[in-house]
Amino acid sequence: MKRFSSLLMASLVALGLCVAPAGAAPNYPAKPINMLCVFGPGGAADLGLRVVAEYATKHGFTMNVVNMPGGSGTQAAMQVLNSRPDGYNVVFGSTSFVTLPMMKRLGYTIDDFIPVADITDMPLTFCVRSDSGINSFDEWMALAEKNPGQYNYGSPGSITSQRQFLSVLLKDKFPNASVNHVPYASGHEVNTALLGNELKAAFGVPGTNQNYLKSGEFKLLAVTSDKRLPEYPDAPTFAELYGDKYYWVSFHGIFVKKGTPEEIVKKLSDIVGQALADPEVIEKFNKIGITANYRNYKDFVPFLDNVKAQSVEALTLLGLI
Amino acid sequence: MDIVLSAIATALSPACLLANGVGVALGIIFGALPGLTAAMGVALIMPLTFNMPTVEAFSALLGMYCGAVYGGSITAILVGTPGTVAAAATMLEGPGLTARGESKKALDMATIASFIGGTFSCIMLIILSPLLAKAATAFGAQDYFAVAIFGMAVVASLASSSAIKGGIAALLGLYISTIGTDPIYGDLRNTFDIPQLFSGLPLVPVLVGLFAVGQILVTMEQAFVKNSQSSINVEISRKGLSLKDLTSNAYNFLRSSIIGTVVGIIPATGVGTASYIAYSTARSASKTPELYGKGVLEGIAATESSNNAVTGGALIPLLTLGVPGDIVVAIMLGALMIQGLVPGPLLFTEHPDVVYGIFTALGVSNILMLVMGLMAVRPLAKVLLVPTTILMPAVLTLCIVGGYAVNNSTFDLYIVFAFGILGYLMAKINMPASPLLLSMILSPIAETNFRRALVISDGDYSVFVTSPISLGVLLVTLGVIVRTVLVEIRTRRKLAEAEEQFVSDSVQ
C-alpha cells in the first residue's frame, strides 16, 4: 500500500509537471517541435532546415518539418502566433518574413516574434555572360549609363533582396543610370533568360548560378557577402567596391512567438548551434550548396535590426512602404 | 551517356516499377469508372508523391495518366457510357461490337491501339523534346507570350459548340488567375486583405474541387436522388483479336498516333479533341465508311491510338517550355515544381537524370498498360459493379486528404469545397470546366511574359512582331481566331435561316 501511494504521488507530481506553466520548462522539449517552413519542400533552404532537424532529433529535440508555403509564408507565421508561446511551434523564415509585414496589413509584424537562431545566409551574386567582354561591375554600370534603358538585370521575383539591394546601390552611387529590373518566377528562369541573351545580367544566389559559373558560361562580377566567396576568389564583394553598407545577405533563421521563456529560446538556439558546428551537418550543407552561418539568439537581434533598416530604406525607395 | 543509363536504371528499379504499376492499375480503374477522370486521378495521387524521389513520383503520375486515358475505353465498349472524355468517340463503335458478342475483340483492339499510340508518342517525346529544348533557349518573353495567347485562342475555338458558356468559364479562369501577387511589381490584386490569398489560389485544391468534388456531387445526386443505379453487365466474350485485324490497321495506327501526338503538343487541346479528329479522319479514309457507328474495329483503333498518343505529345511543351499541352500535364506541372524542378530548356541540361527517367517511366507505363489490359481486363472491369454510393464517398475522402496535404493548410479545404460547389453548378448548367482551368494556367504565362517583354524592350511594343517566333505564332493565332469567328457566324446564319423557315412554315 505504501508502495502504491508513493507511486500515486510520483504520478501526481509528474502530472503536475505536465500542466505546469511552460515558463518553468525544465524538461523542454517534452514533445516533438513543429518546424514550420515557409518554403515548399525541396529547395536549398528547406533541405538545410531538414538537415538541422535531423541532427536535433538525434540529440533529444524531436523536430518535425512542416512545409507551409501558403500565403507567401503568412500562414506559417499565423499558426505560430495562434499557438501558445511554449517553444513547440517554430517558424523558419527568410527576408520576406521581415519585409512582408512592412508592406501589407497582416495583423502582425516581425516584432511579434523572438529571433532564435540564424541557420544560413545567402549572398547575392551578380553575373553576366562571359562572352559579353565585361570584366567588372563598374564597366557594366558605365555601359548602362551610356545606353539608358538597354541594360537590365533579372532576379527571381518581383520584390527580391536583389532588387532591393541594387535599387539602393544605384541611388547612392549611380543616380543617373536607368536600369530595368526584370522579374522571373525562379532563379532557373533568370539563368535561361541570360543564356538566351534576353538579359544583360542575372542577379541570383550562388546555388542557382553555380552550374553556369563553373561551366564558364557566366562570369561573376560582384557578390554581396562580407568576404569573397572561396569558389570565386577573383570576384570582388560589393562592400570592397563601394563600402560596408553594401554587405547585404538573405538570412534564413528560426523564430518563436513573443512571450516564449528565455530558457526555451536559449535551449533551441543552443541545439541549432550544436548542429551547425557538427562536421557531418556542414558537409551536408556543402552538398546542398549553402553555408552554415550560425547566429545565436543574442547575435541574431542586432543582425535583424540591420536587415530591417536596409529593408526600410530599399522599400521606401521602391515606393512600397 | 552514363547519366542516361543510370536514369533508365532508376526508372526500372523495383520502387519505380511498383509505383508505375499501381499508377496504371488505379488509372485503368479511374478511367473505367464513369465520373472519375484522368485529371482527377492525377490530382488525387499527386499529394501522395510529394515525398517520393522525382522519377518514382512521375512513374506513378504517368502510369495514372496512361492508364486512365486507356481505361475509359473499357466502359465505352462494355457499358456504352464513356468512362472519360477520351473515350467518348470510342463509345460510337464499342457498344455495337459488344452487341455482336465481340467485346473481347474490341477490348483487345483498344488495348493494343492504346499501347501503339502511347509508345509512338513516347518515342516522339524522346526525339523531339531535346531538340525543342535546345531551340527553346532562344525563346524570349515575347515568344512565350505568343505561345500562351495561341493556347488561349485554341481554348476559345474549342468552346465554340457552347461558345458563351465556354467563354464565361474561360473569363472566370482569367479572373481567378489575377488573385494574388502581381508577377511584375509585386502588388496585391483581388486578395481582399486575406493573407491566405497573397500567393494566389493554390492550383491543386482548385483542381480537386472543380474536377473531383464537383463531379462526385453530380454522380452522387444521380445515384441517390434519381436512383438511376442500373444493373451493369460486364461479361466479356471469348473471341480474341486476329493478326489480320492488326496488320490491316497499320496505316490507321500510324495516322492516328501522329494526330494524337500533334494535338497533344498544341497547348490546351487534349484527348477528347484528338480522338474525334482521328475518328473522323479514319472514317473519311475508310473504304467502308457506311459501317461506322455500327461497330467497326477501325474506329476503335483510331480513337484509342490517338488519345493515348496525346500523353507523350502533351509532355513535350511541358518539359521544354513549361507550357502544358493538356489539362492532365498542367496538373503534373505542379508536381514538377513541388519536386523543386523548373520545366524549361535548362531542365534538360541540369537534370538529365530526371528527364530521361521520365521518358523511361512513360515507356514503362505503356508496357504495363498493355500487359494489364490483355491479362487483367476481366477483374478490372469488375470495378464497374461497385455501387456508386460506396465508391463516391471513398473518393471524396481522398479529395479532402489530397486538398489538405499540398500546403498542410485548412484554408485550402475551403477552396476545395468552394470549387467543388462551383464545379457542381457548372456541370448542372452544362458549362465546361476545362476552359476555366486552361485559362487559369495560360493567362498568367501570357500576362507575365507580355509585361516582362515590355520591361526588357524598355516599353517598345514592336518586339512582338520583330521576333520571328512570336510573329509566326501570333499569325497562326490570328488564323485560329478568324476561323472560329467565321464558323460561329456560319452556324448562326444557318440557325437563323432554319428559324425563319420554321416561322414561315408555321405561318403558312
Side-chain angles (χ1 to χ4, degrees), chain A residues 44-288:
Chain A
D46 170 68
L47 292 175
L49 178 67
R50 284 173 192 277
V51 170
V52 171
E54 190 189 356
Y55 178 91
T57 303
K58 271 190 219 151
H59 293 78
F61 287 69
T62 308
M63 289 183 176
N64 296 328
V65 176
V66 183
N67 296 96
M68 293 185 75
S72 305
T74 52
Q75 276 178 283
M78 283 178 178
Q79 173 150 337
V80 171
L81 292 178
N82 288 335
S83 61
R84 277 194 287 174
D86 55 9
Y88 291 108
N89 284 289
V90 179
V91 57
F92 176 65
S94 176
T95 317
S96 67
F97 187 68
V98 175
T99 54
L100 204 60
M102 293 180 182
M103 295 184 281
K104 327 276 181 192
R105 255 193 313 161
L106 295 176
Y108 68 83
T109 69
I110 183 69
D111 298 326
D112 293 318
F113 295 88
I114 301 175
V116 176
D118 190 7
I119 292 178
T120 177
D121 292 342
M122 289 187 194
L124 316 174
T125 46
F126 193 90
C127 310
V128 293
R129 285 172 67 106
S130 302
D131 58 15
S132 64
I134 300 170
N135 290 312
S136 71
F137 187 76
D138 270 328
E139 274 180 48
W140 194 89
M141 283 312 307
L143 284 165
E145 282 177 323
K146 233 181 271 168
N147 306 287
Q150 300 303 305
Y151 272 69
N152 53 29
Y153 70 101
S155 84
S158 53
I159 310 169
T160 52
S161 300
Q162 286 88 346
R163 182 176 169 212
Q164 293 179 32
F165 169 80
L166 207 67
S167 57
V168 170
L169 179 68
L170 290 180
K171 183 209 68 176
D172 291 350
K173 305 287 177 186
F174 305 94
N176 301 320
S178 139
V179 172
N180 286 331
H181 167 248
V182 189
Y184 289 84
S186 70
H188 294 271
E189 288 185 24
V190 180
N191 288 345
T192 315
L194 184 60
L195 287 173
N197 254 329
E198 212 179 351
L199 294 174
K200 291 284 193 281
F203 206 177
V205 291
T208 49
N209 291 141
Q210 63 185 5
N211 279 351
Y212 300 94
L213 288 170
K214 282 177 189 153
S215 74
E217 281 161 287
F218 289 1
K219 187 181 168 63
L220 181 61
L221 290 189
V223 56
T224 63
S225 50
D226 52 347
K227 291 187 206 87
R228 294 187 180 202
L229 300 179
E231 298 91 339
Y232 316 104
D234 297 337
T237 66
F238 279 102
E240 274 174 52
L241 297 171
Y242 304 110
D244 285 342
K245 183 184 171 189
Y246 305 102
Y247 162 54
W248 192 304
V249 290
S250 179
F251 75 88
H252 297 76
I254 56 173
F255 299 80
V256 290
K257 188 181 176 179
K258 200 173 165 184
T260 307
E262 192 177 336
E263 288 165 66
I264 291 179
V265 173
K266 186 174 180 314
K267 276 187 167 181
L268 262 175
S269 179
D270 287 349
I271 187 69
V272 172
Q274 205 182 316
L276 294 180
D278 183 70
E280 219 173 287
V281 169
I282 292 173
E283 202 195 305
K284 284 182 185 161
F285 267 41
N286 285 340
K287 265 191 202 152
I288 302 168

Side-chain angles (χ1 to χ4, degrees), chain B residues 41-386:
Chain B
V42 172
L44 282 181
I45 63 161
M46 202 169 93
L48 303 176
T49 67
F50 290 167
N51 293 323
M52 295 182 183
T54 315
V55 176
E56 203 179 314
F58 270 83
S59 294
L61 293 169
L62 291 169
M64 183 76 170
Y65 184 23
C66 294
V69 172
Y70 155 69
S73 67
I74 299 175
T75 328
I77 291 167
L78 291 180
V79 190
T81 48
T84 62
V85 50
T90 308
M91 198 186 69
L92 300 173
E93 301 299 337
L97 284 156
T98 306
R100 264 188 268 143
E102 293 181 338
S103 54
K104 174 80 172 133
K105 227 175 174 180
L107 286 172
D108 284 353
M109 178 51 100
T111 310
I112 291 168
S114 295
F115 170 72
I116 292 174
T119 309
F120 176 86
S121 74
C122 180
I123 295 168
M124 285 296 116
L125 170 72
I126 295 169
I127 297 173
L128 291 180
S129 56
L131 296 177
L132 188 57
K134 236 171 237 162
T137 33
F139 264 59
Q142 63 282 354
D143 308 320
Y144 279 100
F145 164 75
V147 171
I149 287 294
F150 170 64
M152 288 166 74
V154 174
V155 173
S157 75
L158 289 180
S160 61
S161 55
S162 54
I164 292 176
K165 283 175 185 168
I168 293 173
L171 287 176
L172 210 56
L174 275 181
Y175 173 75
I176 289 169
S177 73
T178 63
I179 297 174
T181 310
D182 161 339
I184 304 295
Y185 293 122
D187 295 330
L188 292 181
R189 298 188 297 202
N190 301 322
T191 55
F192 307 104
D193 275 346
I194 301 170
Q196 282 91 340
L197 292 178
F198 283 3
S199 45
L201 282 179
L203 184 62
V204 175
V206 169
L207 278 170
V208 169
L210 206 57
F211 285 90
V213 177
Q215 189 59 48
I216 289 168
L217 293 176
V218 173
T219 318
M220 297 265 272
E221 184 187 32
Q222 282 164 358
F224 280 111
V225 182
K226 294 174 188 156
N227 221 347
S228 68
Q229 185 83 17
S230 56
S231 60
I232 296 170
N233 181 14
V234 291
E235 283 308 304
I236 299 172
S237 72
R238 292 270 154 212
K239 201 178 153 211
L241 210 56
S242 70
L243 195 65
K244 196 180 154 286
D245 291 329
L246 292 178
T247 49
S248 64
N249 273 309
Y251 182 64
N252 186 4
F253 284 137
L254 181 67
R255 182 185 52 220
S256 307
S257 298
I258 293 174
I259 291 174
T261 309
V262 171
V263 170
I265 294 173
I266 296 174
T269 53
V271 285
T273 322
S275 53
Y276 273 109
I277 296 178
Y279 179 76
S280 55
T281 315
R283 187 172 55 189
S284 53
S286 170
K287 287 177 202 117
T288 54
E290 68 281 359
L291 291 179
Y292 274 69
K294 291 169 191 149
V296 285
L297 278 176
E298 272 170 50
I300 294 181
T303 59
E304 288 304 311
S305 55
S306 65
N307 65 28
N308 270 82
V310 169
T311 55
L315 285 169
I316 295 176
L318 176 81
L319 293 176
T320 54
L321 299 173
V323 178
D326 79 347
I327 305 178
V328 185
V329 297
I331 304 167
M332 285 187 206
L333 178 65
L336 209 57
M337 305 289 246
I338 282 163
Q339 295 279 349
L341 298 167
V342 184
L346 294 195
L347 187 67
F348 287 75
T349 50
E350 289 182 355
H351 300 281
D353 50 331
V354 172
V355 173
Y356 287 96
I358 289 176
F359 289 171
T360 316
L362 183 65
V364 171
S365 299
N366 279 297
I367 295 168
L368 289 172
M369 182 181 79
L370 177 73
V371 174
M372 285 190 210
L374 292 179
M375 317 277 287
V377 75
R378 282 168 206 279
L380 282 175
K382 290 275 193 295
V383 296
L384 289 172
L385 297 173
V386 178

